Amino acid sequence: MRIRIGHEISIRVTQPTPLICTVAPEISRHRDFVAPEMVSTNPHVPIHNYYDRYNNICRRMVAPAGDFTLRGDVTLLDSGNWDEVNPAAQELRAEDLPDVVIGFLTASRYVESDLVSQEAWDLFGGVTPGWTRVQAIVDHVNGLLTFDYGTASVYRTAAGARQGGIGVCRDFAHLALAYLRALNIPARYVNGYVGDIGIPKADAPMDFAAWTEVYLSGKWYTFDPRNNERRIGRVVVARGHDAADVPLMNSFGAHELTGFTVWCHPVDEQGNELDGMLFGT
């Protein structure tokens, strides 16, 4: 199947402002592009790409004073498969984890696994280790927090979300990560595109989404604490320890957000949008 994804982000700044934007699909998906990604700014400015320590694509530019828009649009091929399920997947002992994985056991800016450690063991220590325990954590977080887009806050941490009982997708992900890492299960934060493919279309504006990847039986598996369901057509943008590692836009100066549009939907070979419910049946 073909999926068209993209974004248009508009800001207003009072002086020339350097930006780092993490909005490009991960490099492994570029082989799936039907044509090169169309990236533009208005007004036009040079863009320089580099890779951060997690191998995410970062775009550097300087927004001139006034109104500024960054836009990206691409169509890519997708298998059309649902997120993988493997109930037999097992946890690994910390001493058996690869070097590149063990770092995802540590606490981070938004994921205070040390503060929820006792609670994590009280709640999930007796659950069968492996896939069953991870799913129990995701189920718990999904039922504990209430999604409220209007409550989004860059200051809310995993512990804060647990205490307040509300949040957006990043808060669901952070709290699940905190419980997982407290139980010595490597887990990382992911953001990207998730369209309404194979499910009823949501009556809400499209946005970038956040979910988690958990390391079991030697590979990373997708778990989505916010939706708590398998999905079709996820397109990863970036991975890190938490949202602090992968901000969509990091500005080195004040800015005002004036516009934000995201799209992710199946299309035919001519680029016409298709009904997502036609897929996944």
Side-chain angles (χ1 to χ4, degrees):
M1 65 182 297
R2 295 183 178 216
I3 301 175
R4 182 181 178 186
I5 61 173
H7 57 273
E8 186 170 285
I9 305 172
S10 298
I11 61 173
R12 181 172 296 134
V13 294
T14 59
Q15 61 185 14
T17 304
L19 306 174
I20 299 177
C21 301
T22 311
V23 289
E26 64 171 331
I27 189 64
S28 67
R29 294 305 301 267
H30 288 208
R31 67 174 71 96
D32 299 325
F33 288 1
V34 172
E37 182 184 13
M38 302 296 294
V39 180
S40 63
T41 65
N42 184 23
H44 173 76
V45 299
I47 299 176
H48 165 67
N49 291 346
Y50 73 93
Y51 296 96
D52 67 11
R53 59 180 172 148
Y54 300 103
N55 207 36
N56 302 315
I57 300 173
C58 300
R59 291 176 170 155
R60 291 184 63 177
M61 64 203 77
V62 177
D67 292 323
F68 180 77
T69 297
L70 170 66
R71 191 178 195 277
D73 184 75
V74 68
T75 297
L76 49 78
L77 299 176
D78 188 83
S79 68
N81 295 331
W82 297 90
D83 296 329
E84 185 176 359
V85 176
N86 182 9
Q90 297 297 308
E91 298 172 23
L92 299 181
R93 300 182 305 171
E95 58 266 37
D96 295 330
L97 294 171
D99 295 341
V100 295
V101 172
I102 197 168
F104 288 100
L105 292 179
T106 60
S108 55
R109 164 68 175 86
Y110 289 108
V111 180
E112 315 104 319
S113 49
D114 52 332
L115 298 184
V116 303
S117 179
Q118 188 59 57
E119 181 183 359
W121 283 101
D122 290 343
L123 289 170
F124 311 110
V127 179
T128 303
W131 188 278
T132 299
R133 177 147 61 183
V134 174
Q135 187 60 59
I137 292 170
V138 172
D139 291 342
H140 177 77
V141 172
N142 179 262
L144 181 66
L145 302 183
T146 298
F147 182 85
D148 186 344
Y149 191 80
T151 67
S153 171
V154 298
Y155 302 109
R156 185 183 297 117
T157 66
R162 180 195 57 174
Q163 182 176 6
I166 57 174
V168 294
C169 56
R170 60 182 263 159
D171 302 306
F172 284 74
H174 286 152
L175 183 53
L177 292 173
Y179 287 136
L180 289 161
R181 294 179 192 169
L183 293 165
N184 296 323
I185 304 172
R188 59 191 183 187
Y189 182 92
V190 188
N191 69 23
Y193 294 90
V194 184
D196 299 322
I197 303 175
I199 63 170
K201 187 175 180 63
D203 184 22
M206 184 70 193
D207 197 352
F208 285 99
W211 61 92
T212 67
E213 289 178 345
V214 183
Y215 195 78
L216 298 169
S217 289
K219 66 179 292 185
W220 293 99
Y221 289 95
T222 295
F223 288 87
D224 187 342
R226 158 67 178 99
N227 296 299
N228 200 16
E229 61 184 2
R230 318 317 285 176
R231 300 293 283 269
I232 294 173
R234 291 184 194 269
V235 180
V236 172
V237 167
R239 298 179 174 91
H241 275 76
D242 59 29
D245 289 330
V246 292
L248 296 175
M249 178 176 287
N250 191 5
S251 67
F252 297 87
H255 74 268
E256 174 190 357
L257 183 67
T258 58
F260 186 83
T261 305
V262 177
W263 52 94
C264 176
H265 51 254
V267 295
D268 61 21
E269 292 187 2
Q270 288 71 47
N272 301 308
E273 183 174 353
L274 299 174
D275 183 352
M277 285 296 291
L278 296 174
F279 299 88
T281 57

